[in-house]
Amino acid sequence: AEITKPGQWVSLKAKVVQLWDSSSPNVSQVGLIGDETGIIKFVIWAKSGKGEVEEGKSYLFRNVVTDSFQGRMQVNINRYSEIIELDEDIKLPPREIEVVGALVAIQQNSGLIQRCTICKRVMTKGICPIHGKVEGYDDLRVKGVLDDGENFYEIILNEENIKALTGIDLEKAKKIASERLDKNAVLSELKNKLLGRYLKVRGTKGGRYLIVNEVEFIEGIDKSAIDKLIKEVSL
Ligand SMILES: [Zn+2]
């Protein structure tokens, strides 16, 4: 839902993300609700006489009023509003997390790879698993395992991430491969530069993989410091 202006009557489907304690007798409930597009504060006024919402449940909030409080948008539920519990589970925005850990493994299908021009899947020896023998294009990626001392994270670094860390972009990778007459030379080079190094990675969890948005090297930290550095950076 797009909420940008105060004083608008809107209806929205959202999940209750969090309930806060309220010290005000005028407030029945206050907290956060959200859908795929974002999270917003909500207030149910005591005077509205509306039933209580529960954390983790999804509702249709009908005829609620947008408001701006201390520069942030919120929605207010008043006596003209309706709150209807939904059977569906409203999805929240993907959570971005930050992990600091050592890159303990780089998988074999990393480095200079070929992707299918139709579906972008990685091809093996010129064969797409879906489309068979088709035209491919070169790409650079690293599939690796990051260990933060507590968990393993499977991460995928794209060309941009790899370039930021190693200075090797797709053009340079192709040059390395052609100079040494070996595609695997790129993988060896990347392993030399990345394996065992500490990385700070910021990304979103998509299935089993952590899709990396930003990555940088971390130098000279011990394990207890790493543990402390693990934190969630946003809701
Ligand atoms: Zn394909």
Side-chain angles (χ1 to χ4, degrees):
E2 198 144 307
I3 291 169
T4 51
K5 274 189 289 191
Q8 311 272 306
W9 290 80
V10 296
S11 295
L12 53 115
K13 288 177 172 182
K15 183 193 262 186
V16 177
V17 180
Q18 221 172 62
L19 291 171
W20 300 339
D21 293 328
S22 168
S23 51
S24 165
N26 297 327
V27 171
S28 162
Q29 282 184 304
V30 58
L32 298 172
I33 55 173
D35 66 11
E36 238 169 356
T37 64
I39 286 172
I40 193 167
K41 185 183 162 189
F42 77 97
V43 175
I44 303 180
W45 297 113
K47 271 192 196 159
S48 73
K50 297 303 165 219
E52 306 226 309
V53 295
E54 282 178 46
E55 259 178 25
K57 286 196 174 170
S58 300
Y59 301 87
L60 169 63
F61 294 87
R62 190 179 275 162
N63 295 330
V64 300
V65 186
T66 65
D67 193 7
S68 172
F69 182 71
Q70 292 174 347
R72 279 177 164 269
M73 296 304 300
Q74 65 178 55
V75 291
N76 297 334
I77 289 93
N78 60 35
R79 63 195 168 103
Y80 302 107
S81 311
E82 269 184 280
I83 303 174
I84 299 155
E85 193 179 335
L86 298 172
D87 277 335
E88 63 185 302
D89 184 47
I90 301 293
K91 292 249 181 313
L92 296 173
R95 302 206 308 171
E96 198 182 51
I97 58 169
E98 191 174 280
V99 179
V100 174
L103 191 67
V104 293
I106 291 180
Q107 286 166 31
Q108 206 52 37
N109 51 3
S110 299
L112 191 56
I113 54 161
Q114 276 225 310
R115 290 187 188 277
C116 168
T117 39
I118 302 164
C119 68
K120 296 185 176 175
R121 281 186 178 80
V122 176
M123 297 165 69
T124 314
K125 291 178 179 153
I127 308 285
C128 166
I130 304 295
H131 298 101
K133 205 169 156 64
V134 286
E135 191 95 30
Y137 64 95
D138 291 320
D139 195 11
L140 195 60
R141 72 128 181 230
V142 165
K143 265 174 104 169
V145 179
L146 202 65
D147 177 4
D148 71 1
E150 233 169 82
N151 294 297
F152 292 108
Y153 297 85
E154 289 186 84
I155 63 168
I156 297 177
L157 303 175
N158 64 16
E159 187 200 354
E160 197 187 320
N161 304 142
I162 294 167
K163 190 184 174 191
L165 291 172
T166 66
I168 297 173
D169 61 6
L170 184 57
E171 283 316 304
K172 206 161 173 186
K174 283 196 217 170
K175 208 167 154 230
I176 293 168
S178 70
E179 274 171 10
R180 301 194 207 158
L181 303 169
D182 182 9
K183 266 196 165 182
N184 289 323
V186 176
L187 181 54
S188 310
E189 190 75 30
L190 291 175
K191 280 183 174 173
N192 281 340
K193 288 181 186 288
L194 295 172
L195 256 188
R197 301 286 301 273
Y198 284 100
L199 302 178
K200 179 158 96 177
V201 166
R202 190 180 281 212
T204 44
K205 280 284 259 181
R208 54 189 275 217
Y209 293 106
L210 182 61
I211 311 299
V212 176
N213 301 324
E214 277 174 63
V215 59
E216 59 183 287
F217 284 124
I218 298 279
E219 305 296 343
I221 44 169
D222 60 40
K223 209 194 138 293
S224 63
I226 294 168
D227 290 344
K228 276 189 214 126
L229 279 165
I230 303 154
K231 59 180 182 194
E232 296 199 344
V233 293
S234 64
L235 278 166

